[in-house]
Amino acid sequence: MAQEAAAGVIGSRLAAAVADTVPRMGTSRAPLIRPAAWALAFLLMAATRLLTIAPDPWHWDEVLLTDAVTHGIDLRVHRPHPPGYPLLVELSTFLRRAGMEAYRSLAVVGTTGGILAPLALAWLLREAGLSGAYACVGGLLYAFFPSIWLFGVRGFSDAPAAAFYFASCASFLGSARRRRPAGIALGLVLASVAAGLRPQCAAPLLPIALVSSIPFLRTNEQRARGVLLILFGALFAALVSLAIWWPAVSSSGGMDRFREQLAIQAADVHRNSLLSPSELVSWATWRRWLVDPLGTDAVFWAAAVLSIVGLLFRFRVSARILLVLLPWALLNVPVSPPFDAPRYAAVLLGGVAGLTAAGLERLSRPFRVASSLLAIAMIGACSVIAVGPVVEVARTPSPSYAAIQLLRTQPYAQGTVVHDAGLRQHLERLLPGRSRGEIVGDWPVVAVPGDVLVLADRHVSGLTLLRRFAFSNALLRRISRGLLLTVEVGRVTRPLSVGFRPAPPDAEVVRYDADIPVSVDSPADRDVVARELAVRGWCQLLGGSLVEPVEFRLDGVPVRILSLERFPRPDVASVIPAIGETSRAGYAAHLDTSALSPGPHVLRVTFRAADGRRRISHPVQFVWSP
């Protein structure tokens, strides 16, 4: 397989980088640590990963990924979050067919990436100009950053994608240093593998590849051979991408449907994750990206001081590290929610480790032994900080998964499950067929006697048979996503207001279900609407049961419906065949705008199914211009 060949190339290059540990600093002194010791250190790092592989799907992304491994990739089912990305699912599916349990196969692929990423970073740092010894220091320091270790043993694509990102950058830098166009070709192939794991991770590699190719296009010496090698690499990379992505495109209904689902994902990111300019320059945002993943402020400030030393006194090396890692930050940080930063920072933290290693290398000139001891101390400090939370997560069932297992047993196996939104995917995928109602954040929700209440990261009094599942290590809130750290399960014996907004005593009992298939097609986000406000879209249960749009709210206030029409939507059936016959799936509502002031407004639609369940649409922001 192309992926296996690429991994083999990474391994051979890394072996050379680890073996070459003599610092290139104008000195003939032997290194303090011999190649065999570095090899042993990386083997021990790999052992820590294999001993702490995650046991179950903690977060809902992992639940969706596990479902994709079990049933195949179909973005029409897994929206708005694509399951994977494809290569992670395809490799895991191969292991599953060989007899491995679905989530275990994901965790094994993710952990393999968690082992390769520090090695690939060491290769990148070597090509950036660090000595072999301090390139290894950078790789090992990165490996034991708490969040890198925590998410490097889970069923996510972040660690494998980071490994191939680092390897691709290393190949580009090596090509530029040695004037060998074959490195550009290899880098393009590695970039295509990274794109198959995480497209937004690989996108910054394209400008890096272009800049790295310029010298081979300008020089007269062997220009034709260089251009041909680069073109061959680009063609082979395109074929690798086709082999990775086409199965996902095909199983999602073809290219048109695939693009539609990616557009839905992009709109979801724009609506829920895009940071404002003030958020981008906020220290709170960057603290989440750069400080929290390291576990303690002390480690961050030590790394920051050493990074400044590296920038000042090893500028060329530091500049190369920044030039290949900053494009990733510019593309990814603005569209990533800060709570997810410790997980998404797998590439960015490679820059922190690299700059720290550059500072340590500079200090080794006047303080050779002290620099080595400081490097060992920093690696040791990170590992000591990380080992407690990582081992707890590896040995303890995650609160979300443990709660689902409890719901299979008496006396929790009967009754409607009323649950927080963060547990939606766990309940839908791991407990299919169970009657449930979701707690919608900005609407009052009431649970009634007989219900089973499942809460994430909060507590509601008044329950019986209360069971609480939690991770006890306080550091997990900082180095993880900070979600699903506690889950409580209990039975309801009297009517209870369980929503985030209190319900009045006489409130109607309403079940909200975020999985009812609905859509608000127009107005779209940021549309300018003039003359009349017509809301169009579709809604229908799988199998054909009718769903009605029953309430339209502007800025939280109900608006009078002037007219409401239903009409066929055959296009919906072609995208979602399981929805059945769609002769009345479409709707068009004309709303009263007599009291609507010019300017921006927020629209939300409430839908009701025949069995009484309801769904609230996502907020649509538009501008009214009468």
Side-chain angles (χ1 to χ4, degrees), residues 45 51 100 104 195 214 273 283 331 383 490 495:
M45 179 275 294
L51 290 171
M100 192 175 291
R104 185 70 174 181
I214 290 175
S273 303
W283 170 241
L331 180 67
S383 61

mmCIF file of all heavy atoms in Angstrom, residues 45 51 100 104 195 214 273 283 331 383 490 495:
data_model
loop_
_atom_site.group_PDB
_atom_site.id
_atom_site.type_symbol
_atom_site.label_atom_id
_atom_site.label_comp_id
_atom_site.label_asym_id
_atom_site.label_seq_id
_atom_site.Cartn_x
_atom_site.Cartn_y
_atom_site.Cartn_z
ATOM 1 N N MET A 45 9.623 5.417 24.666
ATOM 2 C CA MET A 45 8.490 6.284 24.356
ATOM 3 C C MET A 45 7.379 5.488 23.682
ATOM 4 O O MET A 45 6.199 5.615 24.026
ATOM 5 C CB MET A 45 8.950 7.427 23.448
ATOM 6 C CG MET A 45 7.861 8.397 23.018
ATOM 7 S SD MET A 45 6.920 7.883 21.546
ATOM 8 C CE MET A 45 8.200 7.952 20.298
ATOM 9 N N LEU A 51 1.274 0.936 26.132
ATOM 10 C CA LEU A 51 0.740 0.555 27.443
ATOM 11 C C LEU A 51 -0.434 1.427 27.880
ATOM 12 O O LEU A 51 -1.103 1.100 28.874
ATOM 13 C CB LEU A 51 1.856 0.632 28.498
ATOM 14 C CG LEU A 51 2.956 -0.421 28.382
ATOM 15 C CD1 LEU A 51 4.097 -0.104 29.342
ATOM 16 C CD2 LEU A 51 2.402 -1.815 28.656
ATOM 17 N N MET A 100 -10.079 -7.412 14.794
ATOM 18 C CA MET A 100 -9.968 -6.494 15.917
ATOM 19 C C MET A 100 -11.286 -5.768 16.131
ATOM 20 O O MET A 100 -12.006 -5.470 15.177
ATOM 21 C CB MET A 100 -8.833 -5.488 15.645
ATOM 22 C CG MET A 100 -8.427 -4.659 16.842
ATOM 23 S SD MET A 100 -6.985 -3.588 16.480
ATOM 24 C CE MET A 100 -5.699 -4.832 16.320
ATOM 25 N N ARG A 104 -11.075 -0.488 19.056
ATOM 26 C CA ARG A 104 -9.670 -0.861 19.290
ATOM 27 C C ARG A 104 -8.840 -0.622 18.035
ATOM 28 O O ARG A 104 -7.699 -0.173 18.102
ATOM 29 C CB ARG A 104 -9.592 -2.325 19.703
ATOM 30 C CG ARG A 104 -8.199 -2.800 20.095
ATOM 31 C CD ARG A 104 -7.770 -2.181 21.401
ATOM 32 N NE ARG A 104 -6.503 -2.734 21.875
ATOM 33 C CZ ARG A 104 -5.917 -2.370 23.008
ATOM 34 N NH1 ARG A 104 -6.499 -1.467 23.775
ATOM 35 N NH2 ARG A 104 -4.774 -2.896 23.377
ATOM 36 N N ALA A 195 -3.219 14.528 4.002
ATOM 37 C CA ALA A 195 -4.538 15.029 3.601
ATOM 38 C C ALA A 195 -5.608 13.966 3.766
ATOM 39 O O ALA A 195 -6.768 14.269 4.090
ATOM 40 C CB ALA A 195 -4.501 15.510 2.158
ATOM 41 N N ILE A 214 10.841 26.157 -6.030
ATOM 42 C CA ILE A 214 11.324 27.280 -6.841
ATOM 43 C C ILE A 214 12.792 27.145 -7.244
ATOM 44 O O ILE A 214 13.140 27.370 -8.419
ATOM 45 C CB ILE A 214 11.063 28.613 -6.107
ATOM 46 C CG1 ILE A 214 9.558 28.893 -6.076
ATOM 47 C CG2 ILE A 214 11.811 29.764 -6.776
ATOM 48 C CD1 ILE A 214 9.178 30.116 -5.262
ATOM 49 N N SER A 273 -17.556 27.651 15.146
ATOM 50 C CA SER A 273 -16.150 27.585 15.536
ATOM 51 C C SER A 273 -15.323 28.802 15.142
ATOM 52 O O SER A 273 -14.241 29.003 15.694
ATOM 53 C CB SER A 273 -15.503 26.326 14.934
ATOM 54 O OG SER A 273 -16.189 25.155 15.340
ATOM 55 N N TRP A 283 -5.373 36.568 25.011
ATOM 56 C CA TRP A 283 -4.434 35.670 25.680
ATOM 57 C C TRP A 283 -5.137 34.389 26.113
ATOM 58 O O TRP A 283 -4.529 33.314 26.121
ATOM 59 C CB TRP A 283 -3.800 36.357 26.879
ATOM 60 C CG TRP A 283 -3.001 35.435 27.758
ATOM 61 C CD1 TRP A 283 -3.209 35.154 29.068
ATOM 62 C CD2 TRP A 283 -1.852 34.644 27.374
ATOM 63 N NE1 TRP A 283 -2.284 34.249 29.540
ATOM 64 C CE2 TRP A 283 -1.434 33.915 28.518
ATOM 65 C CE3 TRP A 283 -1.165 34.475 26.189
ATOM 66 C CZ2 TRP A 283 -0.348 33.054 28.505
ATOM 67 C CZ3 TRP A 283 -0.073 33.600 26.172
ATOM 68 C CH2 TRP A 283 0.324 32.905 27.315
ATOM 69 N N LEU A 331 -3.973 28.779 9.243
ATOM 70 C CA LEU A 331 -5.146 28.165 8.635
ATOM 71 C C LEU A 331 -6.078 27.548 9.667
ATOM 72 O O LEU A 331 -7.304 27.604 9.530
ATOM 73 C CB LEU A 331 -4.716 27.092 7.633
ATOM 74 C CG LEU A 331 -5.852 26.360 6.910
ATOM 75 C CD1 LEU A 331 -6.591 27.307 5.986
ATOM 76 C CD2 LEU A 331 -5.312 25.174 6.125
ATOM 77 N N SER A 383 6.804 14.222 31.456
ATOM 78 C CA SER A 383 6.310 12.852 31.608
ATOM 79 C C SER A 383 5.683 12.638 32.981
ATOM 80 O O SER A 383 4.659 11.948 33.103
ATOM 81 C CB SER A 383 7.444 11.852 31.369
ATOM 82 O OG SER A 383 8.489 12.029 32.317
ATOM 83 N N GLY A 490 -29.488 9.066 36.826
ATOM 84 C CA GLY A 490 -30.440 8.860 37.910
ATOM 85 C C GLY A 490 -31.851 8.760 37.382
ATOM 86 O O GLY A 490 -32.134 9.141 36.242
ATOM 87 N N PRO A 495 -41.893 15.508 38.580
ATOM 88 C CA PRO A 495 -41.531 16.417 37.493
ATOM 89 C C PRO A 495 -40.383 17.349 37.884
ATOM 90 O O PRO A 495 -40.410 17.969 38.948
ATOM 91 C CB PRO A 495 -42.831 17.214 37.251
ATOM 92 C CG PRO A 495 -43.910 16.298 37.720
ATOM 93 C CD PRO A 495 -43.341 15.562 38.896
#
